[in-house]
Amino acid sequence: MPEFTIMTDSCCDLTAAMAEELELSVLPLSLHMGDSVYRNWLDGRDIAFPDFYSRVRSGEDATTAAVSVGDFQEEMRKILRSGRDILCVNFSSALSTTYQSASIAAEDLRQEFPEARIYVVDSLCASLGQGLLIWLCAQEKKKGKTLEEVRDFAEETKGRVCHWFTVDDLNHLKRGGRISAATALFGTMLSIKPVMHVDDGGRLIPVSKARGRKASLLALVDEMEKTAIEPEGQTVFISHGDCLQDAEFVAEEIRRRFGIKDIHINYVGPVIGSHSGPGTMALFFLGAPR
């Protein structure tokens, strides 16, 4: 039985080192900022993550683009020619056309490589929620599970990857059409911070409001307390929009409440960060269905 490669896109927000260790193939989404187009590589080679957030703080806007069908075809063809099959797990279809691009590329290549197995999964996840799902799939692969078994695992598990977010500045959500201008204005005046999650359709949904930054960070952990399944044995992922201190505060609170040791922290990459802004905090774990 041929070996297989797990493929994903850069909205997984894993570190480059982790992607390498898991032997992933990762295609970058891109962003247009100023007069330049940057690819969202996991190692920040086109635009360093702190630089990106510094430019956003100074008022620059960015527009983002999905991975193209052609980019997927090129990378998939390389893998198939090496005799490996492909499991491609992508950024939520509710937030990007990247999954659609991968599906079209896979369909075309099945005709070119009729013997090959190419499966494309809509993760319905974002940022390190997608990263957590990929990481879990890679653990299954390491156990010697077949391509079909890992694909089925991804489909069964994705609805239990819980995503809880808060943002520091409501104006980024207003620009992205997530909240109204009036909500952004009053929320900013009253220091109201939204607590949001990704629903079972892969969309970002406001759930509640917290008064002040610290309360919003604690609210993320409160949500985990309500829905996490056997948290003490889990690996938990946290992503942040250039606010590492807040991420470490959340990690410490998780260790204190649940005794969890394995917590991975990384940046919200520039593509998602273009929409959520600096100061975004996101927590990901396995729990009851979203």
Side-chain angles (χ1 to χ4, degrees), residues 13-91:
D13 286 343
L14 291 165
T15 63
M18 194 179 272
E20 192 178 348
E21 185 226 320
L22 299 174
E23 299 179 332
L24 306 176
S25 168
V26 185
L27 277 78
L29 283 83
S30 51
L31 61 149
H32 190 279
M33 201 173 197
D35 296 326
S36 304
V37 174
Y38 304 97
R39 291 206 157 195
N40 181 180
W41 298 104
L42 297 186
D43 60 7
R45 73 184 83 152
D46 271 16
I47 182 165
F49 301 162
D51 294 349
F52 162 75
Y53 281 106
S54 161
R55 287 172 66 175
V56 173
R57 283 191 180 99
S58 71
E60 279 194 70
D61 280 335
T63 54
T64 59
V67 183
S68 71
V69 174
D71 284 350
F72 271 118
Q73 283 176 329
E74 190 182 331
E75 188 63 22
M76 285 177 172
R77 194 175 277 118
K78 235 183 274 178
I79 293 165
L80 296 169
R81 281 186 180 145
S82 75
R84 297 169 74 85
D85 292 319
I86 296 169
L87 174 64
C88 186
V89 183
N90 291 114
F91 185 30

Coordinates of all heavy atoms in Angstrom, one line a residue, residues 13-91:
D13 N -1.9 27.7 10.8 CA -1.1 28.4 11.8 C -0.2 27.6 12.7 O 0.2 28.0 13.8 CB -2.0 29.3 12.7 CG -2.6 30.5 11.9 OD1 -2.0 30.9 10.9 OD2 -3.6 31.1 12.4
L14 N 0.2 26.4 12.2 CA 1.2 25.6 13.0 C 2.6 26.3 12.8 O 2.8 27.1 11.8 CB 1.3 24.2 12.4 CG 0.1 23.3 12.7 CD1 0.2 22.1 11.7 CD2 0.0 22.9 14.1
T15 N 3.5 26.0 13.7 CA 4.9 26.5 13.5 C 5.5 25.8 12.3 O 5.1 24.6 12.0 CB 5.8 26.4 14.7 OG1 5.9 25.0 15.0 CG2 5.2 27.1 15.9
A16 N 6.5 26.4 11.6 CA 7.2 25.7 10.5 C 7.9 24.4 11.0 O 7.9 23.4 10.4 CB 8.2 26.7 9.9
A17 N 8.4 24.5 12.2 CA 9.1 23.4 12.8 C 8.1 22.2 13.1 O 8.5 21.0 12.8 CB 9.8 23.8 14.1
M18 N 6.9 22.5 13.5 CA 6.0 21.5 13.8 C 5.5 20.8 12.5 O 5.4 19.6 12.4 CB 4.8 22.0 14.6 CG 3.9 20.9 15.1 SD 2.5 21.5 16.1 CE 3.3 21.7 17.7
A19 N 5.3 21.7 11.5 CA 4.9 21.2 10.1 C 5.9 20.2 9.6 O 5.6 19.2 9.0 CB 4.6 22.3 9.2
E20 N 7.2 20.6 9.8 CA 8.3 19.8 9.3 C 8.3 18.4 10.0 O 8.5 17.4 9.4 CB 9.6 20.5 9.4 CG 10.8 19.9 8.7 CD 12.1 20.7 8.8 OE1 12.0 21.8 9.3 OE2 13.1 20.1 8.5
E21 N 8.2 18.5 11.3 CA 8.2 17.3 12.2 C 7.1 16.4 11.8 O 7.3 15.1 11.8 CB 8.1 17.7 13.7 CG 8.3 16.6 14.6 CD 7.3 16.6 15.7 OE1 6.9 17.7 16.2 OE2 6.8 15.5 16.1
L22 N 5.9 16.9 11.5 CA 4.8 16.1 11.1 C 4.8 15.7 9.6 O 3.9 15.0 9.2 CB 3.5 16.8 11.4 CG 3.2 17.2 12.9 CD1 2.0 18.1 13.0 CD2 3.1 16.0 13.8
E23 N 5.8 16.1 8.9 CA 6.0 15.8 7.5 C 4.8 16.2 6.6 O 4.3 15.5 5.8 CB 6.3 14.3 7.3 CG 7.5 13.8 8.0 CD 7.8 12.3 7.9 OE1 6.9 11.6 7.7 OE2 9.0 12.0 7.9
L24 N 4.3 17.5 6.9 CA 3.2 18.0 6.2 C 3.6 18.7 4.9 O 4.8 19.2 4.8 CB 2.5 19.0 7.0 CG 2.0 18.6 8.4 CD1 1.4 19.8 9.2 CD2 1.0 17.4 8.3
S25 N 2.7 18.8 3.9 CA 2.9 19.6 2.8 C 2.0 20.8 3.0 O 0.7 20.6 3.1 CB 2.6 18.9 1.5 OG 2.4 19.8 0.4
V26 N 2.5 22.0 3.1 CA 1.7 23.2 3.5 C 1.7 24.2 2.4 O 2.8 24.8 2.1 CB 2.1 23.8 4.8 CG1 1.2 24.9 5.2 CG2 2.2 22.7 5.9
L27 N 0.6 24.6 1.8 CA 0.5 25.6 0.7 C 0.1 26.9 1.3 O -0.9 27.0 2.1 CB -0.5 25.2 -0.4 CG 0.1 24.2 -1.4 CD1 0.2 22.8 -0.8 CD2 -0.7 24.2 -2.7
P28 N 0.8 28.0 1.0 CA 0.5 29.3 1.6 C -0.7 30.0 0.9 O -0.8 30.1 -0.3 CB 1.8 30.1 1.4 CG 2.4 29.5 0.1 CD 1.9 28.1 0.1
L29 N -1.6 30.6 1.7 CA -2.5 31.6 1.2 C -1.7 32.9 1.0 O -0.5 32.9 1.4 CB -3.7 31.9 2.1 CG -4.8 30.8 2.1 CD1 -4.5 29.6 2.9 CD2 -6.1 31.4 2.5
S30 N -2.2 34.0 0.5 CA -1.5 35.2 0.3 C -2.2 36.4 0.7 O -3.5 36.4 0.9 CB -1.0 35.3 -1.2 OG -2.1 35.1 -2.0
L31 N -1.5 37.5 0.9 CA -2.1 38.8 1.2 C -1.5 39.9 0.4 O -0.3 39.9 0.1 CB -2.1 39.1 2.7 CG -0.7 39.2 3.4 CD1 -0.8 40.1 4.6 CD2 -0.2 37.8 3.9
H32 N -2.3 40.9 0.2 CA -1.8 42.1 -0.6 C -1.8 43.3 0.4 O -2.9 43.6 1.0 CB -2.8 42.3 -1.8 CG -2.3 43.4 -2.7 ND1 -2.5 44.7 -2.5 CD2 -1.7 43.2 -3.9 CE1 -1.9 45.4 -3.5 NE2 -1.5 44.5 -4.4
M33 N -0.7 43.9 0.6 CA -0.5 44.9 1.6 C 0.4 46.0 1.0 O 1.5 45.7 0.5 CB 0.1 44.3 2.8 CG -0.2 45.1 4.1 SD 0.4 44.2 5.5 CE -0.5 45.1 6.8
G34 N -0.1 47.2 1.0 CA 0.7 48.3 0.3 C 0.8 47.9 -1.2 O -0.2 47.6 -1.8
D35 N 2.0 47.9 -1.7 CA 2.3 47.6 -3.1 C 2.7 46.2 -3.3 O 3.2 45.8 -4.4 CB 3.3 48.6 -3.7 CG 2.8 50.0 -3.7 OD1 1.6 50.2 -3.9 OD2 3.6 50.9 -3.5
S36 N 2.7 45.4 -2.3 CA 3.3 44.1 -2.4 C 2.3 42.9 -2.1 O 1.3 43.1 -1.4 CB 4.5 43.9 -1.4 OG 5.4 44.9 -1.6
V37 N 2.6 41.8 -2.7 CA 1.8 40.6 -2.4 C 2.8 39.7 -1.6 O 3.9 39.4 -2.0 CB 1.4 39.8 -3.7 CG1 0.7 38.5 -3.3 CG2 0.4 40.7 -4.4
Y38 N 2.3 39.2 -0.4 CA 3.2 38.3 0.4 C 2.5 36.9 0.5 O 1.3 36.9 0.7 CB 3.3 38.9 1.8 CG 3.8 40.3 1.9 CD1 3.0 41.4 1.9 CD2 5.2 40.5 1.8 CE1 3.5 42.7 2.0 CE2 5.7 41.8 1.9 CZ 4.8 42.9 2.0 OH 5.3 44.2 2.0
R39 N 3.3 35.9 0.5 CA 2.7 34.6 0.8 C 2.8 34.3 2.3 O 3.8 34.7 2.9 CB 3.5 33.5 0.0 CG 3.2 33.7 -1.5 CD 3.4 32.3 -2.2 NE 2.6 32.4 -3.4 CZ 2.3 31.3 -4.1 NH1 2.7 30.1 -3.7 NH2 1.7 31.3 -5.2
N40 N 1.8 33.7 2.8 CA 1.7 33.5 4.3 C 2.4 32.1 4.6 O 1.8 31.2 5.0 CB 0.2 33.4 4.7 CG -0.1 33.2 6.2 OD1 -1.2 33.1 6.6 ND2 1.0 33.0 7.0
W41 N 3.7 32.1 4.4 CA 4.5 30.9 4.7 C 4.5 30.8 6.2 O 4.5 31.8 7.0 CB 5.9 31.1 4.2 CG 6.1 31.1 2.7 CD1 6.3 32.3 2.0 CD2 6.0 30.1 1.8 NE1 6.4 32.0 0.6 CE2 6.2 30.6 0.5 CE3 5.7 28.7 1.9 CZ2 6.1 29.8 -0.7 CZ3 5.6 27.9 0.7 CH2 5.9 28.5 -0.5
L42 N 4.6 29.5 6.7 CA 4.5 29.3 8.2 C 5.8 29.9 8.9 O 5.7 30.2 10.0 CB 4.4 27.8 8.5 CG 3.2 27.1 8.0 CD1 3.2 25.7 8.5 CD2 1.9 27.8 8.5
D43 N 6.9 30.0 8.1 CA 8.1 30.5 8.8 C 8.2 32.1 8.6 O 9.2 32.7 9.0 CB 9.4 29.9 8.2 CG 9.5 30.0 6.7 OD1 8.7 30.8 6.1 OD2 10.4 29.4 6.1
G44 N 7.2 32.7 8.0 CA 7.2 34.2 7.9 C 8.3 34.7 7.0 O 8.7 35.9 7.1
R45 N 8.7 33.9 6.0 CA 9.9 34.3 5.1 C 9.5 35.5 4.3 O 10.4 36.3 3.9 CB 10.4 33.2 4.3 CG 9.5 32.7 3.2 CD 10.0 31.5 2.4 NE 9.6 30.3 3.1 CZ 9.4 29.1 2.5 NH1 9.6 29.0 1.2 NH2 9.0 28.1 3.2
D46 N 8.2 35.7 3.9 CA 7.8 36.8 3.0 C 7.5 38.0 3.9 O 7.8 39.2 3.5 CB 6.6 36.5 2.2 CG 6.9 35.8 0.9 OD1 8.1 35.4 0.7 OD2 6.0 35.8 0.0
I47 N 6.9 37.8 5.0 CA 6.6 38.9 5.9 C 6.5 38.4 7.3 O 5.8 37.5 7.6 CB 5.2 39.6 5.5 CG1 4.9 40.8 6.5 CG2 4.0 38.7 5.5 CD1 3.9 41.8 6.0
A48 N 7.5 38.9 8.1 CA 7.6 38.4 9.5 C 6.3 38.8 10.3 O 5.7 39.9 10.1 CB 8.8 39.0 10.2
F49 N 5.8 37.9 11.1 CA 4.5 38.1 11.8 C 4.5 39.4 12.6 O 3.6 40.2 12.6 CB 4.1 36.9 12.6 CG 4.0 35.6 11.8 CD1 4.0 34.4 12.4 CD2 3.8 35.7 10.4 CE1 3.9 33.2 11.6 CE2 3.7 34.5 9.6 CZ 3.7 33.3 10.2
P50 N 5.6 39.7 13.5 CA 5.5 40.9 14.2 C 5.5 42.2 13.3 O 4.8 43.1 13.6 CB 6.9 40.9 15.0 CG 7.2 39.5 15.1 CD 6.8 38.9 13.8
D51 N 6.2 42.1 12.1 CA 6.2 43.2 11.2 C 4.8 43.4 10.6 O 4.3 44.5 10.5 CB 7.1 43.0 10.0 CG 8.6 42.9 10.5 OD1 8.8 43.3 11.6 OD2 9.5 42.5 9.7
F52 N 4.1 42.3 10.3 CA 2.8 42.4 9.8 C 1.9 43.1 10.8 O 1.1 44.0 10.4 CB 2.2 41.0 9.4 CG 0.7 40.9 9.3 CD1 0.1 41.4 8.2 CD2 -0.1 40.5 10.4 CE1 -1.3 41.5 8.1 CE2 -1.5 40.5 10.3 CZ -2.1 41.0 9.1
Y53 N 1.9 42.7 12.0 CA 1.0 43.3 13.0 C 1.4 44.7 13.3 O 0.5 45.5 13.6 CB 1.0 42.4 14.3 CG 0.1 41.2 14.2 CD1 0.7 39.9 14.0 CD2 -1.3 41.3 14.2 CE1 -0.2 38.8 13.9 CE2 -2.1 40.2 14.0 CZ -1.5 39.0 13.9 OH -2.4 37.9 13.7
S54 N 2.6 45.0 13.3 CA 3.1 46.4 13.5 C 2.5 47.3 12.4 O 2.0 48.4 12.6 CB 4.6 46.4 13.5 OG 5.1 47.7 13.2
R55 N 2.4 46.8 11.1 CA 1.9 47.6 10.0 C 0.4 47.7 10.1 O -0.2 48.8 9.8 CB 2.3 46.9 8.7 CG 3.7 47.1 8.3 CD 4.2 46.3 7.1 NE 3.5 46.8 5.9 CZ 3.8 46.3 4.7 NH1 4.8 45.4 4.6 NH2 3.2 46.7 3.6
V56 N -0.3 46.7 10.6 CA -1.8 46.8 10.8 C -2.1 47.8 11.9 O -3.0 48.6 11.8 CB -2.4 45.4 11.1 CG1 -3.8 45.5 11.5 CG2 -2.2 44.4 10.0
R57 N -1.3 47.8 13.0 CA -1.5 48.7 14.1 C -1.3 50.2 13.6 O -1.9 51.1 14.1 CB -0.5 48.5 15.2 CG -0.9 47.3 16.1 CD 0.0 47.2 17.3 NE -0.4 46.1 18.2 CZ 0.2 44.9 18.2 NH1 1.3 44.7 17.4 NH2 -0.2 43.9 18.9
S58 N -0.4 50.3 12.6 CA -0.2 51.7 12.1 C -1.2 52.1 11.1 O -1.1 53.2 10.5 CB 1.2 51.8 11.5 OG 1.3 51.1 10.3
G59 N -2.2 51.2 10.8 CA -3.4 51.6 10.0 C -3.4 51.0 8.6 O -4.3 51.3 7.8
E60 N -2.4 50.2 8.2 CA -2.4 49.6 6.9 C -3.5 48.5 6.8 O -3.7 47.7 7.8 CB -1.0 49.0 6.6 CG 0.0 50.0 6.1 CD 1.2 49.3 5.5 OE1 1.0 48.7 4.4 OE2 2.2 49.4 6.1
D61 N -4.1 48.4 5.7 CA -5.1 47.3 5.4 C -4.5 46.3 4.6 O -3.6 46.5 3.8 CB -6.3 47.9 4.7 CG -7.3 48.6 5.7 OD1 -7.2 48.2 6.9 OD2 -8.0 49.5 5.2
A62 N -5.0 45.0 4.7 CA -4.6 44.0 3.8 C -5.8 43.3 3.2 O -6.8 43.1 3.8 CB -3.7 43.0 4.6
T63 N -5.6 42.8 2.0 CA -6.7 41.9 1.4 C -6.0 40.6 1.2 O -4.8 40.5 1.0 CB -7.2 42.4 0.0 OG1 -6.0 42.6 -0.8 CG2 -7.9 43.8 0.2
T64 N -6.8 39.5 1.3 CA -6.3 38.1 1.3 C -6.8 37.3 0.1 O -7.8 37.6 -0.5 CB -6.6 37.4 2.6 OG1 -8.0 37.4 2.7 CG2 -6.0 38.2 3.8
A65 N -6.0 36.3 -0.3 CA -6.4 35.4 -1.4 C -6.2 34.0 -1.0 O -5.2 33.7 -0.4 CB -5.6 35.8 -2.7
A66 N -7.1 33.1 -1.5 CA -7.0 31.7 -1.2 C -5.9 31.1 -2.0 O -5.3 31.7 -2.9 CB -8.3 31.0 -1.6
V67 N -5.5 29.8 -1.7 CA -4.6 29.1 -2.6 C -5.3 28.8 -3.9 O -6.5 28.4 -3.9 CB -4.2 27.7 -1.9 CG1 -3.2 27.0 -2.7 CG2 -3.7 28.0 -0.5
S68 N -4.6 28.9 -5.0 CA -5.2 28.7 -6.3 C -5.3 27.2 -6.7 O -4.5 26.4 -6.1 CB -4.4 29.4 -7.4 OG -3.2 28.8 -7.6
V69 N -6.1 26.9 -7.6 CA -6.2 25.5 -8.1 C -4.9 25.1 -8.7 O -4.4 24.0 -8.4 CB -7.3 25.4 -9.2 CG1 -7.3 24.1 -9.9 CG2 -8.7 25.7 -8.6
G70 N -4.2 26.0 -9.4 CA -2.9 25.7 -10.0 C -1.9 25.4 -9.0 O -1.1 24.5 -9.2
D71 N -1.8 26.1 -7.9 CA -0.9 25.8 -6.8 C -1.1 24.5 -6.3 O -0.1 23.7 -6.0 CB -0.9 26.9 -5.7 CG -0.3 28.2 -6.1 OD1 0.4 28.2 -7.2 OD2 -0.4 29.2 -5.4
F72 N -2.4 24.1 -6.0 CA -2.7 22.8 -5.5 C -2.3 21.7 -6.5 O -1.7 20.7 -6.2 CB -4.2 22.6 -5.2 CG -4.5 23.0 -3.8 CD1 -5.4 24.1 -3.6 CD2 -4.0 22.4 -2.7 CE1 -5.8 24.5 -2.3 CE2 -4.3 22.7 -1.4 CZ -5.2 23.8 -1.2
Q73 N -2.6 21.9 -7.8 CA -2.3 20.9 -8.8 C -0.7 20.7 -8.9 O -0.3 19.5 -8.9 CB -2.7 21.4 -10.2 CG -4.2 21.2 -10.4 CD -4.7 21.8 -11.7 OE1 -4.2 22.7 -12.2 NE2 -5.8 21.2 -12.2
E74 N 0.0 21.8 -8.8 CA 1.5 21.6 -8.9 C 2.0 20.8 -7.8 O 2.8 19.9 -8.0 CB 2.1 23.0 -8.9 CG 3.6 23.1 -9.2 CD 4.1 24.5 -9.2 OE1 3.3 25.5 -9.4 OE2 5.3 24.7 -8.8
E75 N 1.6 21.1 -6.5 CA 2.1 20.4 -5.4 C 1.6 19.0 -5.3 O 2.3 18.0 -5.0 CB 1.7 21.2 -4.1 CG 2.3 20.7 -2.8 CD 3.8 20.8 -2.8 OE1 4.4 21.6 -3.5 OE2 4.4 20.0 -2.0
M76 N 0.3 18.8 -5.6 CA -0.3 17.4 -5.6 C 0.4 16.5 -6.7 O 0.7 15.4 -6.4 CB -1.8 17.5 -5.9 CG -2.6 18.0 -4.7 SD -4.4 18.1 -5.2 CE -5.1 18.5 -3.6
R77 N 0.7 17.1 -7.8 CA 1.3 16.4 -8.9 C 2.7 15.9 -8.5 O 3.1 14.7 -8.7 CB 1.4 17.2 -10.2 CG 1.7 16.4 -11.4 CD 1.7 17.3 -12.7 NE 0.4 17.5 -13.2 CZ -0.3 18.7 -13.3 NH1 0.3 19.8 -12.9 NH2 -1.5 18.7 -13.8
K78 N 3.4 16.7 -7.8 CA 4.8 16.4 -7.3 C 4.7 15.2 -6.3 O 5.5 14.2 -6.4 CB 5.3 17.6 -6.5 CG 6.7 18.1 -7.0 CD 7.2 19.2 -6.1 CE 6.7 20.5 -6.5 NZ 7.1 21.6 -5.6
I79 N 3.7 15.2 -5.4 CA 3.5 14.1 -4.4 C 3.1 12.8 -5.1 O 3.6 11.8 -4.9 CB 2.5 14.6 -3.4 CG1 3.1 15.7 -2.5 CG2 2.1 13.4 -2.5 CD1 2.0 16.4 -1.7
L80 N 2.2 12.9 -6.1 CA 1.7 11.7 -6.8 C 2.7 11.1 -7.6 O 2.9 9.9 -7.7 CB 0.4 12.1 -7.6 CG -0.8 12.6 -6.8 CD1 -1.8 13.2 -7.8 CD2 -1.4 11.5 -6.0
R81 N 3.6 11.9 -8.2 CA 4.7 11.4 -9.1 C 5.7 10.6 -8.2 O 6.4 9.8 -8.7 CB 5.4 12.5 -9.8 CG 4.6 12.9 -11.1 CD 5.3 14.0 -11.9 NE 4.5 14.3 -13.1 CZ 4.5 15.5 -13.6 NH1 5.2 16.5 -13.1 NH2 3.8 15.8 -14.7
S82 N 5.8 11.0 -6.9 CA 6.7 10.3 -6.0 C 6.1 9.0 -5.5 O 6.7 8.3 -4.8 CB 7.1 11.2 -4.8 OG 6.0 11.3 -3.9
G83 N 4.9 8.7 -6.0 CA 4.3 7.4 -5.6 C 3.5 7.4 -4.3 O 3.1 6.4 -3.8
R84 N 3.2 8.6 -3.8 CA 2.5 8.7 -2.6 C 1.0 9.2 -2.8 O 0.8 9.9 -3.8 CB 3.1 9.8 -1.6 CG 4.5 9.3 -1.2 CD 5.3 10.5 -0.5 NE 4.8 10.7 0.8 CZ 5.2 10.1 1.9 NH1 6.1 9.1 1.8 NH2 4.7 10.4 3.1
D85 N 0.1 8.8 -2.0 CA -1.3 9.3 -2.0 C -1.4 10.6 -1.2 O -0.4 10.9 -0.5 CB -2.2 8.2 -1.6 CG -2.3 7.0 -2.5 OD1 -2.3 7.2 -3.7 OD2 -2.3 5.9 -2.1
I86 N -2.6 11.2 -1.2 CA -2.7 12.5 -0.6 C -4.0 12.5 0.3 O -5.1 12.2 -0.2 CB -2.8 13.6 -1.6 CG1 -1.5 13.7 -2.4 CG2 -3.2 15.0 -1.0 CD1 -1.6 14.6 -3.6
L87 N -3.9 13.1 1.5 CA -5.0 13.5 2.3 C -4.8 15.0 2.5 O -3.9 15.4 3.2 CB -5.0 12.8 3.7 CG -6.1 13.3 4.7 CD1 -7.5 13.0 4.1 CD2 -6.0 12.6 6.0
C88 N -5.7 15.8 1.9 CA -5.7 17.2 2.0 C -6.8 17.8 2.9 O -7.9 17.6 2.6 CB -5.8 17.8 0.6 SG -5.5 19.5 0.4
V89 N -6.4 18.4 4.0 CA -7.3 18.9 5.0 C -7.2 20.4 5.0 O -6.1 21.0 5.4 CB -7.0 18.3 6.4 CG1 -8.1 18.8 7.4 CG2 -7.0 16.8 6.4
N90 N -8.3 21.1 4.6 CA -8.2 22.6 4.4 C -9.0 23.5 5.3 O -9.9 23.0 6.0 CB -8.6 22.9 2.9 CG -7.5 22.3 2.0 OD1 -7.8 21.4 1.2 ND2 -6.3 22.8 2.0
F91 N -8.6 24.7 5.3 CA -9.3 25.8 6.0 C -10.8 25.8 5.7 O -11.2 25.5 4.6 CB -8.6 27.1 5.4 CG -9.1 28.4 6.1 CD1 -9.5 28.5 7.4 CD2 -9.0 29.6 5.3 CE1 -9.8 29.7 8.0 CE2 -9.4 30.8 5.9 CZ -9.8 30.9 7.2

